[in-house]
Amino acid sequence: MLTKQGQYNWLLIGGSLSIFLASLALRLWDLDRFPYPVFDEVHFPKFAENYLLGIPSNDAHPPLGKYLIALGIVLFGHNEIGDRVASAVIGAAIPLLVTGLVYRLTSKTFLAILAGIMTFADGLLLVESRYGLLNVFLVALGLGSQIFLLTGLESQLAHQAKSRWLMLSLSGIMLGFCAGVKWNGAGFWLMTWILIAIALLARNPLIQKLLSKMNINLSIKLGKLADLGTLPWYQYLVCFVIMPAIAYILQWTPHVIMVLKTFAPNATGWQWLQAFGKHLAMSNQYIYQWNTSPSSIGTPDHPIHPYCSSALSWALSMRPVAYYFHADGDVWQNVHALGNPILWWLSTLAVIAIACWGIVKMRPALIYVSVGYAANYFPWFIVKRCLFIYHYMSPSVFSFIALS
């Protein structure tokens, strides 16, 4: 966290550290208050424990999130703390990552800290971080990919070529890992390619000629984002296609190796590689079939879950999800996955405003936030399966940035 002059930005460092410590305290405090399992803890910590036992489970999502939960189980055991600590720690890092992302994007300390505070104030991110669930891993990895991307774009000088390769490669790796938690993590990959497409269009002679008639130089208007259009073709291929693919396959490797111990225990050499590819494909096919099967889709008249909600309703937090309920006499305990209503409503208005303003004024930060929101939100409108408000977590982060 350095200024452009290479000096430490102590205000940013202090503010970021304070936000992180406060986030961590909220997530770790009384973490075992409600007994296991809460909501989808009935699935994911059990799958994580199975990996530790060498018994991989095929389920609706890739394995990376379960590996992370398994780390907590290794440290603290298969109990409320062990099942939830990974989500708590990584979830606490999300406001910190938002702070870093906004500072990389704008170089404005106050704006970055404000965005971090708004993210810290959200209820859905807090609830998701306090249980053994997967969504906070996806959001954190996606934000990390964007921080590496913007850091790489800042390495413009010839002697910084290796640094740019490193940062952009790490961005690609994080994109692959993001999809390795849940497939909707690919929204961050889509976001990156939309930004690349905009930067390339800005360098197109026909586009430049058209905009010059309106006295608009899109390359200048895009600021550092314009540098996305200056990369050699092989850097796009390596950093944003090959590296994400390698990372995605690597996170499957422990799972598939465990499977092969049962289904191809004596395979070696080329035969082993064939078996690896076969079972890798089968595992991903199972995810696709699970998410597109009638049992996952339902109908408007017969939803498969009482808390299914339409993507259109998420921006206003119209259908929260009850994660836990317990009645003990006159004392009722209830956990709801609910966004901060005021924060969400204002953030939705802010997204609409900055999208329009970004188009009119061609401000790079506004374009970036609009693309991040759209790429992580709009694809949900064509998804047929039962959806929940927690699928809005990635776009919600960009809406908080828009509001700040």
Side-chain angles (χ1 to χ4, degrees):
M1 294 185 178
L2 302 175
T3 64
K4 292 182 178 179
Q5 292 74 33
Q7 299 175 338
Y8 286 105
N9 188 331
W10 292 111
L11 177 59
L12 182 63
I13 293 172
S16 300
L17 184 60
S18 298
I19 291 170
F20 173 70
L21 292 177
S23 297
L24 188 62
L26 277 180
R27 284 155 175 80
L28 293 179
W29 174 74
D30 214 7
L31 189 60
D32 59 349
R33 179 176 184 180
F34 297 114
Y36 165 90
V38 171
F39 194 58
D40 276 348
E41 283 188 328
V42 71
H43 303 300
F44 303 132
K46 181 61 179 176
F47 296 154
E49 187 180 33
N50 285 344
Y51 279 121
L52 296 175
L53 298 173
I55 309 170
S57 303
N58 276 332
D59 66 285
H61 307 294
L64 182 56
K66 278 85 77 175
Y67 298 160
L68 295 173
I69 293 175
L71 290 177
I73 295 175
V74 169
L75 293 173
F76 298 100
H78 184 34
N79 52 50
E80 285 80 2
I81 300 297
D83 294 345
R84 298 167 182 172
V85 68
S87 298
V89 173
I90 294 178
I94 291 177
L96 176 66
L97 291 168
V98 168
T99 304
L101 176 61
V102 174
Y103 186 73
R104 285 292 181 189
L105 182 64
T106 66
S107 298
K108 296 181 179 179
T109 301
F110 176 78
L111 189 62
I113 293 175
L114 181 60
I117 292 172
M118 288 186 176
T119 307
F120 164 79
D122 181 52
L124 179 58
L125 289 172
L126 174 62
V127 169
E128 283 279 329
S129 301
R130 285 181 55 83
Y131 300 100
L133 308 174
L134 305 181
N135 297 297
V136 292
F137 304 139
L138 183 158
V139 176
L141 288 167
L143 292 171
S145 76
Q146 295 305 303
I147 292 174
F148 283 126
L149 176 67
L150 295 178
T151 303
L153 294 180
E154 293 173 358
S155 305
Q156 300 177 1
L157 302 178
H159 71 276
Q160 296 176 313
K162 290 183 179 179
S163 176
R164 170 170 282 197
W165 266 107
L166 176 61
M167 291 297 106
L168 296 183
S169 296
L170 288 173
S171 176
I173 290 170
M174 298 290 269
L175 289 172
F177 284 157
C178 190
V181 177
K182 286 187 173 183
W183 277 3
N184 55 292
F188 284 95
W189 182 80
L190 176 62
M191 169 192 177
T192 301
W193 275 102
I194 292 175
L195 292 170
I196 291 171
I198 292 172
L200 290 173
L201 283 174
R203 295 175 58 81
N204 183 281
L206 292 177
I207 300 295
Q208 290 178 336
K209 184 177 180 180
L210 177 64
L211 294 177
S212 66
K213 295 178 180 179
M214 297 182 284
N215 296 318
I216 297 175
N217 188 322
L218 188 55
S219 293
I220 294 177
K221 290 283 188 179
L222 287 176
K224 70 173 67 175
L225 297 181
D227 293 331
L228 270 174
T230 64
L231 306 179
W233 67 268
Y234 51 83
Q235 201 160 30
Y236 296 118
L237 177 63
V238 171
C239 296
F240 304 120
V241 177
I242 295 177
M243 297 306 291
I246 289 175
Y248 183 76
I249 293 172
L250 280 177
Q251 59 88 32
W252 272 107
T253 300
H255 173 99
V256 178
I257 289 175
M258 292 179 198
V259 171
L260 294 184
K261 288 181 179 179
T262 300
F263 292 98
N266 300 317
T268 58
W270 177 245
Q271 186 182 26
W272 186 90
L273 288 175
Q274 286 182 310
F276 182 95
K278 175 185 175 182
H279 286 280
L280 174 64
M282 289 174 61
S283 295
N284 282 274
Q285 183 182 27
Y286 179 86
I287 293 175
Y288 175 79
Q289 291 175 341
W290 192 97
N291 283 282
T292 58
S293 67
S295 62
S296 297
I297 296 174
T299 65
D301 295 329
H302 299 89
I304 66 166
H305 194 283
Y307 288 101
C308 291
S309 58
S310 68
L312 189 62
S313 71
W314 298 341
L316 298 178
S317 193
M318 295 174 65
R319 186 59 173 163
V321 181
Y323 279 9
Y324 177 84
F325 177 83
H326 176 72
D328 184 9
D330 294 333
V331 178
W332 290 8
Q333 295 176 320
N334 186 19
V335 176
H336 255 78
L338 171 67
N340 182 320
I342 296 175
L343 179 63
W344 279 39
W345 298 339
L346 292 178
S347 296
T348 298
L349 292 175
V351 167
I352 297 171
I354 69 124
C356 298
W357 191 252
I359 293 173
V360 172
K361 295 295 184 180
M362 296 293 179
R363 300 284 180 84
L366 303 187
I367 293 172
Y368 177 88
V369 173
S370 299
V371 169
Y373 181 84
N376 283 282
Y377 184 31
F378 292 157
W380 286 111
F381 286 87
I382 62 174
V383 175
K384 301 298 184 182
R385 58 154 287 183
C386 173
L387 302 175
F388 300 92
I389 195 171
Y390 56 70
H391 290 127
Y392 188 69
M393 286 172 60
S394 293
S396 75
V397 169
F398 289 99
S399 73
F400 304 153
I401 295 173
L403 181 60
S404 66

